[in-house]
């Protein structure tokens, strides 16, 4: 099958899965912003996305997308290295501003993977996984997503690691977005610059949503904390 056996097919699969993951990140980012303004509103969303059959099915589908994207990215990177030595993800008219990201997609991908594992440990493991397997979670309520945000970002180490993760994600997505558009054939001389501008703007706003949540809870200045009388609230670091 050409999607598996050909280089172009692999790029199409990686681009489609990448765009799907960006759409998920958009949903996740918008969901996180709710936590800035309403503890009850955010926990209501977490409860809806708990260990329900549709949430579990969506999680399995998302995991499949991530695994496929990672595997194909690794295969293409190794393939490009063999074919072009040090050049990777070569494209026509490659802008100098994305040169570094273009040449370090594997490193960025590894940082993002490690950050994802940390994120799954801090949230998914203590929430959906704990609820599914009836494991006692640290807060005693697997649907208390707000509590886990407060707990996680009260630890300066986690704050720094998440910021590094999100910066790596920004570099990865800004390159990946217009690279996917080129793979789809939407990269004429005029549209290449447009897609690059659209992608940079979209990804920047997306990553800023996540960073805003991290910093707001790290410094205890989220409106949802203040309205609940928890301004500056912080659990003991890294408990």
């Amino acid at each position: 099958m050409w999607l598996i056996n050909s280089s172009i097919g692999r790029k199409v699969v990686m681009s489609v899965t990448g765009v799907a993951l960006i759409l998920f990140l958009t949903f996740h980012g918008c969901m996180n912003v709710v936590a800035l303004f309403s503890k009850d509103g955010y926990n209501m969303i977490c409860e809806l996305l708990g260990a329900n059959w549709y949430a579990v099915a969506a999680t399995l589908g998302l995991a499949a997308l991530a695994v496929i994207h990672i595997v194909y990215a690794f295969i293409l990177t190794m393939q490009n290295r063999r074919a072009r030595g040090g050049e990777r993800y070569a494209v026509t008219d490659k802008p100098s501003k994305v040169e570094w990201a273009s040449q370090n997609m594997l490193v960025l991908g590894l940082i993002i993977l490690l950050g994802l594992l940390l994120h799954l440990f801090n949230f998914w493991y203590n929430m959906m996984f704990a609820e599914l397997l009836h494991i006692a979670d640290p807060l005693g309520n697997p649907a208390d997503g707000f509590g886990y945000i407060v707990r996680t970002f009260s630890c300066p180490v986690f704050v720094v690691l998440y910021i590094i993760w999100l910066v790596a994600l920004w570099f990865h997505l800004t390159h990946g977005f217009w690279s996917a558009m080129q793979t789809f054939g939407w990269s004429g001389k005029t549209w290449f610059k447009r897609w690059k501008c659209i992608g940079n703007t979209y990804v920047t706003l997306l990553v800023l949503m996540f960073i805003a949540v991290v910093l707001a809870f790290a410094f205890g200045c989220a409106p949802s904390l203040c309205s609940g009388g928890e301004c500056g609230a912080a659990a003991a670091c890294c408990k």
Side-chain angles (χ1 to χ4, degrees), residues 5-116:
N5 299 324
S6 72
S7 177
I8 295 177
R10 295 188 189 109
K11 288 180 180 179
V12 170
V13 171
M14 193 172 71
S15 296
V16 170
T17 54
V19 170
L21 291 171
I22 289 176
L23 292 176
F24 166 74
L25 286 173
T26 302
F27 164 77
H28 196 357
C30 292
M31 171 182 164
N32 284 1
V33 169
V34 174
L36 290 175
F37 303 98
S38 174
K39 173 180 179 179
D40 293 336
Y42 183 75
N43 280 348
M44 181 180 69
I45 297 174
C46 290
E47 188 173 357
L48 289 173
L49 298 177
N52 304 298
W53 69 268
Y54 50 83
V56 173
T59 299
L60 293 175
L62 181 64
L65 285 174
V67 170
I68 292 171
H69 186 78
I70 292 169
V71 169
Y72 273 66
F74 182 79
I75 292 174
L76 281 170
T77 299
M78 295 301 102
Q79 177 183 311
N80 289 336
R81 279 184 169 178
R82 287 195 301 267
R84 291 185 289 273
E87 294 183 17
R88 283 166 277 172
Y89 289 83
V91 296
T92 58
D93 298 324
K94 183 166 59 180
S96 59
K97 289 185 179 180
V98 295
E99 183 73 27
W100 185 86
S102 174
Q103 294 182 356
N104 292 277
M105 289 295 275
L106 181 60
V107 174
L108 291 170
L110 290 174
I111 294 174
I112 292 167
L113 178 59
L114 292 174
L116 176 61

Side-chain angles (χ1 to χ4, degrees), residues 70 73 88 109 124 135 190 226 232:
I70 292 169
R88 283 166 277 172
W124 181 80
I135 298 173
T190 300
C226 296

Side-chain angles (χ1 to χ4, degrees), residues 150-165:
V150 173
R151 178 177 182 269
T152 299
F153 299 128
S154 67
C155 175
V157 175
F158 285 149
V159 172
V160 172
L161 291 177
Y162 269 79
I163 295 297
I164 293 173
W165 178 38

Side-chain angles (χ1 to χ4, degrees), residues 159-182:
V159 172
V160 172
L161 291 177
Y162 269 79
I163 295 297
I164 293 173
W165 178 38
L166 291 169
V167 170
L169 187 64
W170 183 88
F171 278 108
H172 188 83
L173 293 182
T174 49
H175 171 75
F177 187 94
W178 60 259
S179 181
M181 296 305 106
Q182 185 180 62

